[in-house]
Amino acid sequence: MTVLCVCLQMANLVTSLCCVVLAAVVVAYAQRRSQLVARNQYERMGSDVTMQCGSLDNNTSVSWKVNGTDVKAQHRLEGPRLILTQVDLGHNGLYSCFQNPHGERRDTILLHIGIPPREPTVTCRSNTYPKGFYCSWHQLHPTYIPTTFEVDVQHNQRLLDVQKDAVHKNRCHVRFPEVFSSFPYKVNVTAVNSLGKAFTTISFEESSIVKPDPPERVTATPIRFNPRRLEVSWHSPTTWPDIDNFPLKYFLRYRPLIREQWQHVELSDSTSHTITDAYAGKEYIIQVAAKDTEIGTWSDWSVAVHATPWIEDPLPITSTTEVDVSTEAKTSPLPSSNAPQKAEAPVGRAARILTFCSPLLLGMLLLFM
């Protein structure tokens, strides 16, 4: 019985020692891990920056490296602190400090130089009226460090749900809570980073932001036997959700490439138009814009299309000279130098002799008279 008690006491002692050793290992690992993992430090461009080497005492001597090499930028050392003066983007990097004299690494800092955000530029537009609208924003000046945006939209003293765009990171979508509302919408966008924040607030009426997308599938075709006409057709934008209850009107512009001045035609709700005053044989450039019939502004211009009015095909011209020459060439080929020459007809030789002797005969007759 005594032996059993002694064994149990020894087992408890061994277990306790194992726990103590394990705790020491965990603490040492955590300390080592904290020294290896870099911590981020964000500083304003143009300022003086102080980096502290862990929690070392003020009289501890350390040395610093940046990206594995000695620090060459203008700096000074104050115990475990590295002080950089008038930092710029060239000071970005991974800084490590080592305790002297054994050179044991004590801390690692990833330095980011940037500037606080400024008021973002915010615009809102409804190209899916009356379904909803979207707002987009951007910074006019870069901050050089990660910057996020917080968005809230209010209508009639009520916060509306905001959905982030899946493609454009600086865009959100909002559904209209009601149509033909007389209450204005208020949109606030706040830019935030590690150095500060700034916000912009805009207010607008529902009708002022309605702007459709441009018409789609614009075509222009010549009309046969009509040298001054072009038939133009298009489709309403697919993003416009209810063309029957919220119809669009259209604005057509066209010009020949040889001129700079546009001609314009405004149409009610038709999606086609015949140009009747085109210059014959001249290439034209044509575009179309769209707008809600009652509210909002005109869309951007559609993709330009090019077309030329109908041109009559010229009749083929036959050259009689060419036909005669070719016929003669086939019926009377030039003889080759080796080919035998055909003898002249006798009648031809007699005629030449008679022509040569006729003046002599005439002179003899005159002597005898």
Side-chain angles (χ1 to χ4, degrees):
M1 190 69 178
T2 303
V3 175
L4 179 61
C5 293
V6 172
C7 291
L8 290 175
Q9 290 176 356
M10 292 181 64
N12 292 334
L13 181 60
V14 172
T15 303
S16 300
L17 290 175
C18 289
C19 292
V20 171
V21 172
L22 180 61
V25 170
V26 170
V27 171
Y29 176 80
Q31 292 177 346
R32 182 64 176 173
R33 178 72 174 174
S34 64
Q35 295 171 4
L36 295 176
V37 177
R39 54 188 176 89
N40 293 306
Q41 183 171 336
Y42 295 90
E43 298 293 346
R44 187 189 297 254
M45 189 180 300
S47 64
D48 293 346
V49 173
T50 299
M51 286 182 283
Q52 171 72 34
C53 183
S55 56
L56 297 178
D57 296 335
N58 291 336
N59 58 357
T60 305
S61 175
V62 300
S63 59
W64 289 83
K65 291 185 180 296
V66 55
N67 299 326
T69 62
D70 295 335
V71 179
K72 297 179 181 180
Q74 184 177 357
H75 68 282
R76 68 178 186 270
L77 296 175
E78 293 183 359
R81 290 179 293 275
L82 171 66
I83 301 174
L84 303 175
T85 57
Q86 296 182 343
V87 295
D88 55 27
L89 296 179
H91 290 84
N92 287 330
L94 185 65
Y95 290 79
S96 302
C97 61
F98 304 85
Q99 184 175 1
N100 297 326
H102 303 294
E104 182 180 359
R105 184 166 61 177
R106 290 298 187 180
D107 200 0
T108 304
I109 301 171
L110 188 58
L111 181 62
H112 306 269
I113 306 301
I115 60 175
R118 301 183 185 181
E119 293 81 1
T121 300
V122 183
T123 57
C124 295
R125 173 191 168 202
S126 175
N127 62 336
T128 58
Y129 189 78
K131 184 179 178 180
F133 64 94
Y134 70 86
C135 295
S136 57
W137 54 87
H138 65 278
Q139 286 273 304
L140 293 177
H141 305 279
T143 62
Y144 306 107
I145 59 176
T147 301
T148 60
F149 297 89
E150 301 170 355
V151 184
D152 63 75
V153 181
Q154 296 184 29
H155 176 257
N156 194 16
Q157 299 181 348
R158 181 165 65 97
L159 281 175
L160 303 182
D161 291 333
V162 177
Q163 294 182 348
K164 292 289 185 69
D165 191 280
V167 178
H168 305 281
K169 65 177 183 177
N170 289 357
R171 180 181 293 185
C172 69
H173 297 267
V174 182
R175 296 185 65 88
F176 282 119
E178 55 183 295
V179 183
F180 309 125
S181 172
S182 60
F183 294 100
Y185 289 82
K186 182 179 179 181
V187 177
N188 183 86
V189 179
T190 303
V192 182
N193 66 21
S194 298
L195 300 177
K197 62 174 59 178
F199 68 90
T200 297
T201 302
I202 63 172
S203 298
F204 53 83
E205 301 288 339
E206 168 188 314
S207 59
S208 66
I209 63 169
V210 176
K211 180 182 178 181
D213 288 330
E216 302 172 357
R217 291 177 283 171
V218 181
T219 60
T221 55
I223 301 176
R224 188 172 176 81
F225 304 120
N226 288 274
R228 299 201 62 189
R229 298 194 173 200
L230 287 171
E231 184 68 28
V232 185
S233 63
W234 58 88
H235 291 76
S236 60
T238 55
T239 51
W240 197 253
D242 193 353
I243 193 69
D244 295 327
N245 294 316
F246 296 88
L248 297 175
K249 60 181 180 179
Y250 301 96
F251 204 60
L252 173 71
R253 73 175 185 177
Y254 58 96
R255 66 174 176 86
L257 292 183
I258 61 174
R259 299 186 61 184
E260 295 295 331
Q261 185 178 0
W262 293 91
Q263 294 172 271
H264 300 88
V265 178
E266 185 170 342
L267 307 167
S268 56
D269 57 355
S270 175
T271 56
S272 64
H273 177 73
T274 301
I275 298 174
T276 60
D277 57 351
Y279 290 112
K282 301 301 181 182
E283 182 180 356
Y284 271 74
I285 179 172
I286 302 163
Q287 291 179 293
V288 187
K291 179 186 176 299
D292 183 271
T293 54
E294 297 183 1
I295 61 175
T297 57
W298 287 99
S299 73
D300 296 332
W301 290 108
S302 65
V303 176
V305 297
H306 293 250
T308 303
W310 176 81
I311 302 175
E312 183 177 5
D313 294 332
L315 295 174
I317 299 176
T318 303
S319 174
T320 55
T321 303
E322 293 180 357
V323 173
D324 294 343
V325 171
S326 61
T327 304
E328 184 178 353
K330 292 181 180 179
T331 56
S332 303
L334 293 174
S336 63
S337 57
N338 299 326
Q341 300 297 317
K342 185 179 293 185
E344 293 183 351
V347 177
R349 287 199 297 271
R352 284 199 297 272
I353 295 172
L354 181 62
T355 303
F356 176 77
C357 295
S358 57
L360 296 177
L361 294 175
L362 180 60
M364 293 175 63
L365 287 176
L366 291 174
L367 291 175
F368 286 107
M369 288 179 64

